[in-house]
Amino acid sequence: MQEAMISKAKALLADGTVTRVIGWKRGEFVYDVTPAVFESAQELDEGFVYDDFTAANVSKYLIKESRKEGKILCFLKPCDTYSFNQLIKEHRIIRENVYIVGIPSDGKLDAEKIKSKGITGILSAQRDGDTVKVETLYGIETLPLADAMLEKCLSCKSKKHVIYDELIGEDGEVIDSDRFDMVEKLENMTAEERFEFWRSELSKCIRCNACRNVCPACSCEKCVFDNPQSGVENKAPADSFEENMFHIIRAFHVAGRCTDCGECSRVCPQNIPLHLLNRKFIKDINSLYGEYQAGEDTTSRSPLTNYDTEDCEPKIVHERGVE
Amino acid sequence: MNKYLKEQVLRSSGANVLKCMRCGKCSATCPSYDEMEYHPHQFVYMVEKGDIETLMKSESIYKCLTCFACVDRCPRGVEPAKVVEAVRLAAERQQGGDRLVPTDIPELLDDELPQQAIVTAFRKYTK
Amino acid sequence: MQRIGVFVCHCGTNIAATVDVKAVAEALSHEPGVVVSQDYQYMCSESGQNLVKDAIKEHKLTGIVICSCSPRMHENTFRKAAAAAGLNPYLVEIANVREQCSWIHKDIATATDKAVILGKAAVAKVHLNAPLTSMESPVVKRALVIGGGIAGIQTALDIAEAGFDVDIVEKQPTIGGKMAQIDKTFPTLDCAACILTPKMVEAAQNEKIHIHSFSEVTDVKGFVGNFTVTIKKKARYVDETKCTGCGLCTEKCPMKKVPNEFNMGLDNRTAIYIPFAQAVPKVATIDPNYCLMMKTGKCGVCSKMCSVGAIDYKQQDQLIEEKYGAIVVATGFNPIKLDKFDEFAYSHSPDVVTSLELERLMNAAGPNGGTLLRPSDKKHPHTIVFVQCVGSRCDDEKGKPYCSKICCMYTAKHAMLIREKYPDTEVYVFYIDVRTPGKNFDEFYRRAVEQYNVHYIKGMVGKVTPKSDGQLDVQASDLLANEQLHINADMVVLAAAIEPDKTARPLATMLTTQMDTNDFFTEAHPKLRPVESATAGIFLSGACQGPKDIPETVAQASAAAAKAIGLLCKNSITCNPCVAQSDELMCNGCSSCEKVCPYGAITYTDKEFRMPDRTTAIRRVASVNPAVCQGCGACTVACPSGAMDLKGFSNSQIMAEVDAICK
Amino acid sequence: MQVNDNKDFQPTIVAFCCNWCSYAGADLSGTNRLNYPTNVKIIRVPCSCRVNPMFILRAFQRGADGVIICGCHPGDCHYTSGNYYARRRMTLLFSMLDYLGIERDRTRVEWVSAAEGQKFAKTMNEFTEAVRKLGPNRRLEDLRCRKQ
């Protein structure tokens, strides 16, 4: 796949379709793959990487990149195309300045997860059917794929590209995923249990802002939490409440816009399952206001900028489920 | 006024008799009108008043063909046929209230009568 | 440094009886920034206001808090007082310690505590108040009337009378509307044309009135005093400025089998037509669906006959844009379609007609020249049955839940006219209730019964069956006699419910006005503002607001005109300064605010910005038109970055109040 | 759910009322001398759609024990659609707070028209009682802001 992508990128650079390519390059370790911009065939040959650790969604970078001189090529996995579309809807990306090549993805590996199994010194990882063969400094380890895959990929919602100029490989389908199972499980707990669950999770937050910075929906020019005028500004955590406040407001601000790309949880250094907050909003929106997938198109109104005169009353919250 | 009976009829019919605006279209459209002592609109009105026992004693409850013309035509969705049906059920549910008992059947049988009619009648006239 | 004055009102004993006003003034005097804190018997009295004014001057106050009755009561009073003393009126905050404190609580200690907290919240807020100035927005001295029926005509005439230009947009080729189709009017029985056509002519001749017939409104932008409206003049394939209305073309047109909509399809017209003799403008229109020239390219008779060369087969729809200060909606009504009422055999028998069809059948200019004949065989009918409430007062699924209001009276009229002209004809009216509130209305109905012997029967018709002998079997119940009737009728007339015109719904969206579930326009207040819509500058005239008869329609039309004139008389209007404002530096340009704005007050522009790294970047940013914004604040919550804020109720002001209350 | 037996507990309740309907309804209950507890303090907003979830969280942070939002009845909004947006926002926010384990009876939305003084007083009485039963808000409070 990597070879096909590099040759595609080279061809598009050569015929002048694009002047730059946004892709990924290797970091310090084999599993540190980070987005990078390439401007020549040589740079591509030297650094372009696309492998099982290449999980980062590059859509958000295109806000800035698409405003620069010349057209840029980007490779989008199915989940990334939703973020991209959503950003077009919000007038953040200039579509004409981006050339999209859709690439298939059958899930990415999670180095943190592998490491949590006691495997260290990772040199490479090979997928082999339902297992992953990890080559380490200390020899080869094999573990089941589910134990090595990113959480967001395990509950993948779609293998379909909702926007692209061309595709490498076949397009997939929207998947009937089980992504709301955990939300449901939480909903079925008692309020006390839920409170304890979230307190133990959110209290781990160190306010590094990684979730915010990676989130394609959190693309505000200036975040309310950075703005002294907003009255809620706080950059460092002072106590448990502010984590609540930050994460609730963040989830609320992206509600109806979050495509469930899962990047927030992927990048969280404290492994807080932040996607469970977003998914709660998505689940509620789906059940209360009709199925809605942010980023599926570029024209529909998001559920929070829309209404129906027959919408349910807020007391539905008080009447349902476990107290 | 029999509160208990009224509630029972309202519940089993599922009809809202308060929606009636007394236009009489149900009775205007009823094919059994001339056979009936109390007509569909009177059923609705009397159920609203709670005067159910009078209706239960009347032959009218067996005259309704359940053709649902009144249900179809009622401008306000009152569903008079369901009210009649509910009153009939209330009558049949009383002890010895069955209109038709199995021993009556042989007498009714003749070559002309479709079996279906017997089955339907049995369903309609017994609890 | 803020210098805030606090003034606590006793309101006689209204406040002072349950709130220790002296203690409140004392407590608030220690709040940050407060330099003077006083109490007084009646703060709203002249001497009370003077006390405030003097304090503003003496202490050079930068904000004042009045602890008194509800701001809905006296906010304006104190704003004016502040302005008179040289303080911006929007630097005044009211702490509502009467309606929301002294009047509802009994215990002096707790009520006083609460009053202090309410006062503190107001002080906290006033710290953050900014001086605001109301914008003035100019008023375009021209009105638009949408709909050219009697409502629209009357409104236009009244506005023109006051000296303002007014445009009428009518979708049909002629103005006149439903009233032009009506034969006689109740309760006076004068002929509708005799009273309507002079008004039509008056409108045509008035130089202040401009009629856009065969036209539709396709877009409305702007706001009160300054609407920009796009009007589509549909191609009529006849040059309006040349056509003299001689009618020669309509006589010679070979295509004579076009259903005549003016006569409810009861007879035919030609492909080029003038709807009726007194049409205004009296200009021919070609129906392109039937015109042989337009369909086959072969004919051109009208073009040859026309001595002034008005025929133009290549005419195109034309869009015109015009500015208006006020818009009056007069889109009127239509009878409902009767496809859900098969039991009345409307679609099976030509002898079952609606009341509006009957109007045409009885009209001298109608298909039978005014002689009432049975449509099927053109014979004189001897028995006519009227059915009331067809589709009115129904379940939502079956018809309309409301009473159509006019049917009882026009049915009495029809019955009476028929009995008058044809005494040998028996007339039955099946009714549920006869509703005749109105001047001389019940007397009129009684005349139908007492003088003309119309048979009024309480009960509904259940079924109408056409019989082989051509008559109609009407099966109905007589609720008072408790019997089922069968009447052999020659004709059945259905009083079909009326509904708002289909064009009203898209129009309401364009105008951002509210409609009820039945698509009638909603008035700003059901009792006190019946001819205004909730959207400023949009007024309602006639049946578009609810079922109405002619006198009521005309009364409302004039009322709407008066409201429009009141607006047009002003040179400019003062806008509420508490409007949204976008901080361009923080705006993402994501359009969330624009989507929730009910007034279309938010627009986007691409602006160049100097970035921190000294580069320039072009960003899409929102800006709010303060003359359009009504200050609801929906955008402020939709905005994720907090770039959108509401003046007078800013995020920081509300949060300051929250803090003061919770602390 | 814990039930607070302390009858002396005086909850702090913040009520956001829209200017056109609910604030007028609150005034009416005053005019009619209909009692409700002093615990309720009203903040006037132009429309229920002006209520930002941040205000609600802020109130809880600063020690409010209950927050209620009042607006015009759906369909009667002075600004035509504001309360429809508020309805969606508050439904989702309350659902989220419930999901985080915050007692659901601490939040409420009620539609009160300008004519419903009676309803306003009744609502405030009920809501205050419900919050009183829950006891002090501990789950969302910022400890630094606790009253001494």
Side-chain angles (χ1 to χ4, degrees):
Chain A
M1 179 53 70
Q2 180 176 320
E3 289 319 307
M5 287 160 72
I6 291 176
S7 60
K8 169 83 348 192
K10 281 181 180 168
L12 290 167
L13 275 174
D15 69 9
T17 310
V18 298
T19 59
R20 284 162 296 135
V21 179
I22 184 162
W24 303 266
K25 65 174 187 205
R26 186 85 63 211
E28 195 171 352
F29 299 103
V30 67
Y31 44 80
D32 284 344
V33 183
T34 56
V37 176
F38 304 87
E39 294 192 352
S40 66
Q42 193 194 346
E43 282 177 23
L44 284 166
D45 281 331
E46 284 168 3
F48 188 96
V49 171
Y50 184 77
D51 62 12
D52 285 335
F53 286 118
T54 314
N57 176 354
V58 297
S59 303
K60 190 175 180 177
Y61 298 89
L62 293 162
I63 297 173
K64 286 233 162 63
E65 290 298 328
S66 74
R67 279 156 205 274
K68 291 183 181 163
E69 199 65 32
K71 210 165 177 170
I72 186 162
L73 165 67
C74 70
F75 293 101
L76 298 182
K77 304 191 293 301
C79 50
D80 305 342
T81 59
Y82 287 83
S83 310
F84 187 90
N85 241 5
Q86 182 65 25
L87 285 165
I88 289 182
K89 187 195 270 184
E90 294 173 11
H91 309 276
R92 305 308 307 280
I93 291 178
I94 298 169
R95 174 70 181 91
E96 305 80 69
N97 290 347
V98 184
Y99 190 89
I100 309 164
V101 172
I103 47 171
S105 163
D106 47 4
K108 299 293 173 188
L109 300 181
D110 184 348
E112 292 299 317
K113 225 167 158 182
I114 297 171
K115 284 194 235 170
S116 72
K117 302 281 175 245
I119 301 169
T120 51
I122 301 168
L123 294 175
S124 75
Q126 286 292 312
R127 282 177 60 168
D128 182 14
D130 286 340
T131 57
V132 177
K133 217 179 267 174
V134 185
E135 188 196 338
T136 73
L137 288 169
Y138 317 105
I140 290 186
E141 301 260 7
T142 307
L143 69 168
L145 182 59
D147 287 349
M149 196 132 78
L150 278 167
E151 224 23 73
K152 70 171 192 172
C153 298
L154 286 172
S155 55
C156 178
K157 65 181 181 295
S158 173
K159 299 258 187 240
K160 184 181 159 175
H161 294 83
V162 288
I163 188 167
Y164 56 84
D165 291 307
E166 63 178 285
L167 280 180
I168 294 181
E170 293 284 298
D171 202 4
E173 292 295 321
V174 175
I175 301 169
D176 197 13
S177 86
D178 54 0
R179 59 185 171 135
F180 297 121
D181 287 4
M182 186 58 196
V183 177
E184 207 165 309
K185 204 174 140 195
L186 277 166
E187 285 170 346
N188 289 330
M189 291 180 180
T190 65
E192 204 73 36
E193 287 166 343
R194 284 197 297 271
F195 181 68
E196 287 310 322
F197 173 85
W198 283 111
R199 182 147 69 178
S200 69
E201 290 293 348
L202 293 178
S203 62
K204 293 192 294 195
C205 176
I206 54 171
R207 271 309 291 280
C208 66
N209 286 335
C211 51
R212 184 184 82 186
N213 294 351
V214 78
C215 175
C218 265
S219 57
C220 284
E221 293 293 326
K222 185 162 207 162
C223 176
V224 285
F225 289 98
D226 291 347
N227 178 5
Q229 254 97 62
S230 73
V232 292
E233 181 212 22
N234 59 64
K235 284 186 177 168
D239 73 357
S240 59
F241 175 81
E242 286 176 355
E243 272 56 77
N244 288 334
M245 178 96 165
F246 174 75
H247 291 293
I248 298 169
I249 293 294
R250 205 187 82 77
F252 189 84
H253 278 176
V254 301
R257 303 163 56 226
C258 167
T259 65
D260 198 10
C261 74
E263 288 284 275
C264 44
S265 297
R266 183 180 70 84
V267 300
C268 180
Q270 297 291 85
N271 293 319
I272 304 172
L274 293 166
H275 64 281
L276 292 178
L277 292 175
N278 301 324
R279 277 189 190 161
K280 169 64 178 169
F281 274 134
I282 295 171
K283 183 169 181 278
D284 278 346
I285 285 167
N286 283 347
S287 66
L288 299 174
Y289 309 124
E291 292 281 325
Y292 180 84
Q293 172 60 54
E296 199 168 33
D297 60 75
T298 56
T299 48
S300 62
R301 275 173 95 110
S302 98
L304 273 149
T305 58
N306 204 356
Y307 66 87
D308 190 293
T309 53
E310 301 301 316
D311 278 341
C312 62
E313 292 296 327
K315 65 169 173 278
I316 192 169
V317 175
H318 300 78
E319 285 160 359
R320 69 174 181 204
V322 184
E323 175 70 4
Chain B
M1 170 81 184
N2 187 325
K3 246 189 175 164
Y4 168 74
L5 266 176
K6 180 180 171 181
E7 256 170 47
Q8 185 194 334
V9 167
L10 288 181
R11 198 175 50 240
S12 64
S13 67
N16 181 358
V17 289
L18 292 174
K19 280 163 83 177
C20 175
M21 63 169 168
R22 324 226 189 285
C23 73
K25 200 173 178 184
C26 46
S27 292
T29 202
C30 179
S32 300
Y33 189 95
D34 292 336
E35 308 288 321
M36 294 170 102
E37 180 189 2
Y38 296 104
H39 306 116
H41 74 278
Q42 288 171 294
F43 267 85
V44 174
Y45 183 58
M46 287 164 80
V47 167
E48 189 197 320
K49 282 197 305 178
D51 188 6
I52 315 260
E53 273 139 337
T54 316
L55 291 173
M56 283 164 66
K57 285 185 203 118
S58 162
E59 278 292 296
S60 305
I61 54 176
Y62 305 110
K63 302 297 179 192
C64 170
L65 301 171
T66 326
C67 72
F68 276 56
C70 51
V71 173
D72 186 50
R73 305 273 159 78
C74 174
R76 301 186 66 87
V78 177
E79 308 187 309
K82 295 191 181 171
V83 176
V84 178
E85 171 112 33
V87 175
R88 187 174 62 233
L89 266 172
E92 284 163 2
R93 278 176 186 170
Q94 290 171 313
Q95 198 162 32
D98 282 345
R99 173 77 164 169
L100 192 65
V101 288
T103 48
D104 294 344
I105 291 173
E107 217 175 300
L108 296 167
L109 289 175
D110 67 50
D111 292 345
E112 302 284 304
L113 190 69
Q115 280 195 358
Q116 185 69 39
I118 295 283
V119 176
T120 311
F122 211 67
R123 202 179 281 158
K124 196 163 166 180
Y125 292 143
T126 56
K127 55 175 157 281
Chain C
M1 184 58 202
Q2 293 276 14
R3 301 175 60 80
I4 291 161
V6 177
F7 303 90
V8 187
C9 179
H10 297 214
C11 197
T13 55
N14 279 306
I15 295 171
T18 20
V19 169
D20 183 345
V21 284
K22 296 236 181 272
V24 173
E26 219 293 304
L28 294 178
S29 71
H30 302 301
E31 282 297 291
V34 175
V35 291
V36 53
S37 185
Q38 292 177 291
D39 62 284
Y40 188 70
Q41 201 78 25
Y42 286 104
M43 222 37 109
C44 60
S45 69
E46 195 164 340
S47 47
Q49 289 187 49
N50 285 336
L51 182 91
V52 176
K53 288 183 203 169
D54 292 344
I56 291 173
K57 289 179 197 152
E58 188 190 330
H59 299 279
K60 299 189 174 53
L61 298 180
T62 58
I64 57 172
V65 169
I66 317 275
C67 301
S68 62
C69 54
S70 171
R72 297 171 56 83
M73 199 84 186
H74 275 308
E75 190 171 50
N76 264 332
T77 313
F78 294 113
R79 278 184 177 167
K80 278 185 190 150
L87 184 71
N88 183 288
Y90 292 90
L91 298 172
V92 177
E93 281 299 322
I94 309 284
N96 184 346
V97 296
R98 189 179 76 176
E99 279 85 347
Q100 294 176 6
C101 191
S102 69
W103 274 355
I104 42 167
H105 305 312
K106 292 198 180 85
D107 179 55
I108 295 179
T110 53
T112 305
D113 284 349
K114 177 169 170 179
V116 170
I117 292 173
L118 294 177
K120 282 182 178 173
V123 171
K125 188 181 178 194
V126 86
H127 264 284
L128 299 162
N129 279 22
L132 302 176
T133 25
S134 303
M135 292 238 320
E136 297 274 310
S137 156
V139 176
V140 178
K141 308 250 170 202
R142 193 185 184 96
L144 171 66
V145 175
I146 304 170
I150 180 61
I153 293 170
Q154 185 63 47
T155 303
L157 284 171
D158 288 350
I159 295 174
E161 182 79 359
F164 296 104
D165 280 303
V166 50
D167 291 3
I168 299 178
V169 171
E170 168 58 53
K171 65 177 186 301
Q172 300 295 336
T174 170
I175 59 168
K178 289 288 169 300
M179 189 173 169
Q181 290 177 281
I182 294 173
D183 182 36
K184 301 274 189 315
T185 57
F186 61 76
T188 47
L189 295 183
D190 41 0
C191 114
C194 310
I195 54 177
L196 174 69
T197 49
K199 277 196 182 289
M200 290 164 61
V201 174
E202 208 185 321
Q205 287 173 349
N206 193 317
E207 42 187 55
K208 291 276 177 195
I209 300 180
H210 317 275
I211 299 170
H212 296 291
S213 62
F214 212 50
S215 301
E216 282 167 19
V217 170
T218 56
D219 189 36
V220 180
K221 283 202 178 74
F223 47 93
V224 54
N226 196 0
F227 294 104
T228 306
V229 179
T230 311
I231 298 164
K232 181 168 87 179
K233 279 183 96 77
K234 294 180 278 188
R236 69 199 310 166
Y237 309 105
V238 173
D239 188 334
E240 264 182 76
T241 55
K242 289 184 187 158
C243 177
T244 59
C246 70
L248 198 56
C249 52
T250 65
E251 278 168 38
K252 301 294 179 187
C253 176
M255 184 62 214
K256 297 191 190 301
K257 290 264 182 218
V258 186
N260 183 353
E261 46 285 86
F262 184 73
N263 278 339
M264 305 302 291
L266 294 164
D267 65 353
N268 292 327
R269 61 164 168 81
T270 47
I272 184 164
Y273 67 108
I274 297 173
F276 56 99
Q278 302 97 323
V280 170
K282 198 165 182 197
V283 173
T285 304
I286 295 178
D287 187 336
N289 297 321
Y290 291 94
C291 172
L292 293 172
M293 188 66 184
M294 310 278 286
K295 285 175 67 180
T296 63
K298 286 182 204 142
C299 180
V301 172
C302 50
S303 177
K304 281 172 214 141
M305 297 311 298
C306 185
S307 56
V308 293
I311 310 292
D312 175 6
Y313 297 114
K314 296 211 159 56
Q315 202 177 60
Q316 298 283 317
D317 290 354
Q318 198 190 335
L319 291 180
I320 47 179
E321 208 178 83
E322 191 72 64
K323 282 192 174 291
Y324 301 100
I327 298 178
V328 182
V329 183
T331 44
F333 71 95
N334 277 306
I336 61 164
K337 285 216 161 51
L338 292 175
D339 46 3
K340 280 187 196 156
F341 297 91
D342 254 0
E343 63 267 33
F344 298 125
Y346 178 71
S347 49
H348 315 313
S349 168
D351 297 337
V352 180
V353 298
T354 66
S355 299
L356 193 55
E357 287 165 5
L358 185 71
E359 294 280 355
R360 296 316 301 157
L361 287 172
M362 289 167 66
N363 189 279
N368 302 329
T371 316
L372 179 59
L373 299 173
R374 216 153 72 144
S376 58
D377 56 6
K378 305 282 179 206
K379 279 191 186 146
H380 172 60
H382 292 278
T383 308
I384 300 182
V385 169
F386 284 86
V387 186
Q388 298 291 83
C389 298
V390 177
S392 298
R393 309 167 70 191
C394 280
D395 253 19
D396 284 346
E397 296 141 44
K398 294 241 166 104
K400 303 294 173 185
Y402 49 85
C403 166
S404 293
K405 198 171 184 177
I406 53 174
C407 326
C408 286
M409 284 301 287
Y410 69 58
T411 298
K413 170 190 80 180
H414 289 152
M416 216 185 274
L417 288 170
I418 291 168
R419 292 283 297 159
E420 166 85 34
K421 217 167 167 186
Y422 313 103
D424 62 328
T425 302
E426 290 298 325
V427 174
Y428 297 87
V429 177
F430 283 92
Y431 69 94
I432 307 172
D433 303 285
V434 178
R435 295 175 169 178
T436 54
K439 191 173 167 185
N440 294 327
F441 281 15
D442 205 62
E443 296 91 320
F444 182 81
Y445 150 61
R446 290 314 305 168
R447 255 168 72 206
V449 177
E450 292 166 28
Q451 196 179 331
Y452 289 97
N453 286 318
V454 177
H455 307 297
Y456 268 81
I457 300 171
K458 177 163 170 65
M460 194 60 180
V461 169
K463 203 174 174 194
V464 176
T465 324
K467 297 194 296 182
S468 50
D469 63 0
Q471 281 200 307
L472 299 159
D473 173 44
V474 178
Q475 185 184 335
S477 64
D478 180 339
L479 290 175
L480 297 180
N482 202 10
E483 62 185 9
Q484 197 176 57
L485 304 173
H486 283 270
I487 295 173
N488 276 330
D490 296 308
M491 278 179 76
V492 171
V493 184
L494 308 176
I498 59 172
E499 64 181 356
D501 193 81
K502 289 275 177 267
T503 56
R505 173 60 72 174
L507 187 66
T509 313
M510 282 188 251
L511 295 169
T512 68
T513 48
Q514 275 174 281
M515 278 191 145
D516 63 19
T517 48
N518 299 311
D519 281 6
F520 286 113
F521 282 89
T522 307
E523 58 281 9
H525 189 284
K527 291 166 197 78
L528 303 177
R529 295 171 68 193
V531 297
E532 295 157 80
S533 79
T535 308
I538 313 269
F539 306 98
L540 309 173
S541 171
C544 67
Q545 179 262 350
K548 273 178 199 64
D549 59 24
I550 296 169
E552 248 186 298
T553 296
V554 172
Q556 211 205 9
S558 288
K563 286 286 172 194
I565 293 164
L567 170 60
L568 296 177
C569 279
K570 292 179 187 160
N571 288 323
S572 62
I573 35 178
T574 311
C575 315
N576 168 23
C578 294
V579 293
Q581 173 175 257
S582 153
D583 183 340
E584 290 175 345
L585 290 174
M586 291 199 291
C587 176
N588 300 333
C590 69
S591 280
S592 295
C593 53
E594 181 198 22
K595 292 210 174 77
V596 299
C597 179
Y599 304 100
I602 299 168
T603 48
Y604 288 87
T605 39
D606 286 328
K607 272 201 171 175
E608 207 168 273
F609 285 88
R610 289 284 283 174
M611 302 306 282
D613 57 358
R614 295 175 177 240
T615 55
T616 53
I618 291 174
R619 289 202 358 248
R620 182 176 190 268
V621 290
S623 56
V624 179
N625 183 339
V628 186
C629 176
Q630 301 288 314
C632 67
C635 53
T636 61
V637 184
C639 178
S641 71
M644 201 54 98
D645 210 346
L646 188 64
K647 293 185 203 167
F649 293 94
S650 69
N651 286 333
S652 50
Q653 283 176 310
I654 295 174
M655 254 179 301
E657 284 184 89
V658 169
D659 291 357
I661 287 172
C662 295
K663 259 176 193 157
Chain D
M1 189 59 49
Q2 254 187 340
V3 175
N4 189 290
D5 295 327
N6 184 0
K7 289 272 186 293
D8 297 330
F9 168 59
Q10 291 298 338
T12 302
I13 287 167
V14 179
F16 291 96
C17 291
C18 86
N19 183 44
W20 305 96
C21 288
S22 308
Y23 195 87
D27 278 354
L28 184 63
S29 70
T31 313
N32 293 342
R33 312 296 198 274
L34 302 167
N35 285 76
Y36 56 87
T38 51
N39 308 65
V40 179
K41 317 281 189 310
I42 295 171
I43 293 179
R44 184 163 70 131
V45 286
C47 176
S48 50
C49 69
R50 177 67 188 94
V51 180
N52 196 314
M54 280 197 288
F55 302 161
I56 297 167
L57 294 179
R58 172 73 154 224
F60 282 125
Q61 176 189 23
R62 297 297 162 111
D65 301 295
V67 178
I68 180 165
I69 290 96
C70 299
C72 309
H73 285 269
D76 294 347
C77 176
H78 179 79
Y79 304 101
T80 67
S81 54
N83 52 3
Y84 288 131
Y85 294 118
R87 183 163 65 178
R88 280 203 171 184
R89 290 168 185 164
M90 293 309 141
T91 307
L92 289 175
L93 178 74
F94 293 176
S95 180
M96 176 55 79
L97 292 178
D98 177 48
Y99 184 65
L100 294 173
I102 312 304
E103 303 94 332
R104 43 177 81 156
D105 287 339
R106 292 200 190 278
T107 49
R108 189 156 164 190
V109 167
E110 200 68 54
W111 312 123
V112 180
S113 81
E116 292 175 325
Q118 193 103 39
K119 181 178 178 185
F120 187 86
K122 186 168 165 271
T123 303
M124 292 306 150
N125 279 314
E126 285 171 5
F127 186 63
T128 310
E129 203 34 55
V131 175
R132 195 197 305 275
K133 276 194 190 132
L134 287 176
N137 152 40
R138 287 281 173 256
R139 294 186 178 173
L140 264 179
E141 179 195 34
D142 182 338
L143 295 180
R144 295 173 306 174
C145 299
R146 184 178 289 185
K147 283 169 221 153
Q148 297 308 313

